[in-house]
Amino acid sequence: MGAQQRVFKQKIRSTQSLRKIFKAMELIAASRIQKAIARSQAASPYANALTRAVSAVASESNVEHVLTTESENVSRAAVLVIGPDRGFAGAYSANLLREAEELIRLLHSEGKDVQLFTIGSKAKNYYTFRDRKIERSWTGISESPTAENAREIGEALLENFDPESADSGLDEIYIVFTKFVSSVTHDPEYRRLLPLEVVDAGEASTGGGSAESSGAAAFPLYEFEPSAEAVLDSLLPRYIDSRILSALLSASASEQASRQAAMKTATDNADDLIKTYTRLANTARQAEITQELTEIVGGADALAASAAGD
Amino acid sequence: MATLEVNVVAADREVWVGEAKRVIARTLDGEIGVLPGHEPVLGVVADGEARILTTGEDTVRVKADGGFLSVENNRVIIAADQAELL
């Protein structure tokens, strides 16, 4: 076999084995999207119930709570970036980090100090590489976040949240994540987590689950047990955890969807390459055969000519 | 007779949904019993067990770990951080 043919055969083989890997990753991602969407929907009844309860307490009683009070001088803001742990997801993490950078620039321009909290090693590496200080980071949870993860993150954020202290506490907390709209559409976006703007039930479920239209109805006069303050005290941290969880779940669904799309493209490209290389290999083979034939015919002609000359 | 529509939800899933005649849960102040027609209540659930008497005369026992209980229009929602059927 000629050298050229061998080169093409080798390229075809390696592309084929890459293609197998891409295909496998695509299938894995596809099955995980379904799982992520299902988990996101499973969490939405809780999120809806909480949202409704929080709205009810907030709208009925004039209870001031530290988590809902707007600080007058906002000097410190925390940004929680929810990113992936692994790559191979196309522009997913690039888009997310661009959104985060935009938010950070905006906060800086308003004269606020920004503290970074990251989830996933991609976001962590991005900031470590640029010598930016990260307050705290979590890795290894982005693909299948649990309620415990959300609670831990919520606690860590709330620990530092203290708008009343002038020098050390956080005044605002933002969250940057990728919202899962559908398998093909996922938008990076940021929202303010704290101070809470108590929103309608429909607005709060970032998890992609359909929110019931319960938020619009007027709330009945609730009796609070033991008191409105106590109820709010207990509800608000949970509400925050639940919003973090739904952001985490939404981000994980988006991550898998991006990965699936990226791997689909990679598989298609591998197919194209294999086709191209196969054509080139065929051409090379035919060229070789043609050359061999020419050589044989030429040799025979020369032999015949020399035999006739004798 | 009116019945209660009961949802027990945990942070990451729905634990139990169904109709009931009576719900007994534990709040910070003590046990609260809810029958159809109960006034709207929002209460903090203390750790412990909630008992639901279903329309089929079965008792469903749920362990609820921190969360809240809301009652309105014969609709009872027990939302707990962690909840499981016993």
Side-chain angles (χ1 to χ4, degrees):
Chain A
M1 210 200 292
Q4 239 191 329
Q5 272 196 67
R6 207 160 45 235
V7 170
F8 286 129
K9 285 274 149 64
Q10 205 175 12
K11 282 187 175 165
I12 291 172
R13 266 200 306 276
S14 70
T15 316
Q16 270 168 343
S17 77
L18 279 175
R19 185 189 176 280
K20 271 183 202 157
I21 298 173
F22 295 148
K23 189 77 192 169
M25 288 180 77
E26 182 194 338
L27 293 176
I28 293 170
S31 79
R32 286 195 181 152
I33 298 176
Q34 293 311 318
K35 225 179 275 174
I37 295 175
R39 299 191 43 186
S40 170
Q41 272 164 2
S44 68
Y46 180 78
N48 290 342
L50 259 178
T51 307
R52 185 164 165 75
V54 169
S55 317
V57 188
S59 63
E60 259 186 50
S61 50
N62 298 319
V63 188
E64 285 288 311
H65 193 278
V66 69
L67 298 183
T68 55
T69 321
E70 300 266 347
S71 179
E72 272 156 30
N73 295 315
V74 179
S75 58
R76 251 171 308 275
V79 176
L80 174 69
V81 183
I82 301 180
D85 276 310
R86 299 190 299 141
F88 279 74
Y92 172 71
S93 67
N95 286 341
L96 177 85
L97 290 167
R98 194 174 315 129
E99 186 79 9
E101 284 299 284
E102 204 171 282
L103 169 68
I104 292 169
R105 246 198 319 276
L106 181 79
L107 292 174
H108 276 312
S109 73
E110 288 167 3
K112 300 170 187 168
D113 255 356
V114 174
Q115 288 187 2
L116 278 169
F117 293 79
T118 63
I119 292 168
S121 47
K122 286 280 158 192
K124 185 181 168 197
N125 293 344
Y126 178 85
Y127 292 111
T128 330
F129 182 71
R130 284 162 183 75
D131 273 333
R132 308 255 283 272
K133 188 165 173 272
I134 299 176
E135 286 307 311
R136 191 147 172 209
S137 64
W138 293 267
T139 51
I141 60 171
S142 69
E143 278 187 26
S144 53
T146 61
E148 281 79 53
N149 296 141
R151 198 168 310 141
E152 187 193 327
I153 294 163
E155 263 168 31
L157 289 176
L158 281 185
E159 208 172 279
N160 295 321
F161 184 77
D162 184 12
E164 270 145 42
S165 86
D167 39 70
S168 64
L170 293 169
D171 303 306
E172 283 181 333
I173 295 176
Y174 289 86
I175 178 167
V176 187
F177 69 107
T178 309
K179 185 173 175 180
F180 183 83
V181 184
S182 72
S183 312
V184 286
T185 322
H186 8 85
D187 307 320
E189 63 175 45
Y190 61 80
R191 5 184 109 176
R192 196 177 73 172
L193 192 63
L194 285 174
L196 277 178
E197 300 151 83
V198 176
V199 288
D200 289 339
E203 175 99 1
S205 66
T206 54
S210 62
E212 291 167 55
S213 57
S214 52
F219 297 107
L221 276 171
Y222 282 104
E223 189 72 16
F224 295 105
E225 282 234 9
S227 65
E229 286 84 0
V231 171
L232 201 58
D233 258 350
S234 136
L235 283 184
L236 282 178
R238 292 205 166 83
Y239 180 65
I240 287 158
D241 293 352
S242 138
R243 297 202 57 176
I244 292 175
L245 179 65
S246 63
L248 282 171
L249 290 171
S250 173
S252 102
S254 310
E255 179 187 339
Q256 299 302 345
S258 303
R259 182 161 297 133
Q260 191 209 5
M263 288 301 114
K264 172 102 174 62
T265 318
T267 312
D268 292 350
N269 288 343
D271 278 338
D272 282 352
L273 266 184
I274 291 171
K275 202 189 255 173
T276 314
Y277 283 139
T278 312
R279 296 251 160 90
L280 285 171
N282 288 344
T283 317
R285 188 173 50 103
Q286 275 172 356
E288 210 169 290
I289 293 168
T290 313
Q291 196 182 345
E292 274 172 21
L293 275 176
T294 327
E295 278 164 12
I296 292 166
V297 171
D301 274 356
L303 270 181
S306 75
D310 281 342
Chain B
M1 195 184 93
T3 54
L4 292 165
E5 194 185 323
V6 184
N7 283 45
V8 181
V9 294
D12 48 3
R13 69 210 161 88
E14 212 153 41
V15 179
W16 193 82
V17 183
E19 300 219 319
K21 284 181 173 171
R22 187 181 69 208
V23 176
I24 298 173
R26 192 188 294 274
T27 69
L28 287 181
D29 283 349
E31 290 213 318
I32 176 173
V34 181
L35 291 172
H38 197 284
E39 65 171 347
V41 169
L42 258 180
V44 181
V45 171
D47 290 2
E49 192 185 302
R51 294 191 299 282
I52 302 162
L53 181 70
T54 65
T55 41
E57 297 291 334
D58 286 330
T59 307
V60 178
R61 303 195 309 157
V62 185
K63 188 176 157 13
D65 212 357
F68 70 96
L69 163 103
S70 102
V71 182
E72 68 173 273
N73 288 335
N74 289 339
R75 191 177 160 83
V76 180
I77 299 174
I78 300 177
D81 300 340
Q82 281 159 337
E84 51 188 293
L85 293 176
L86 288 178

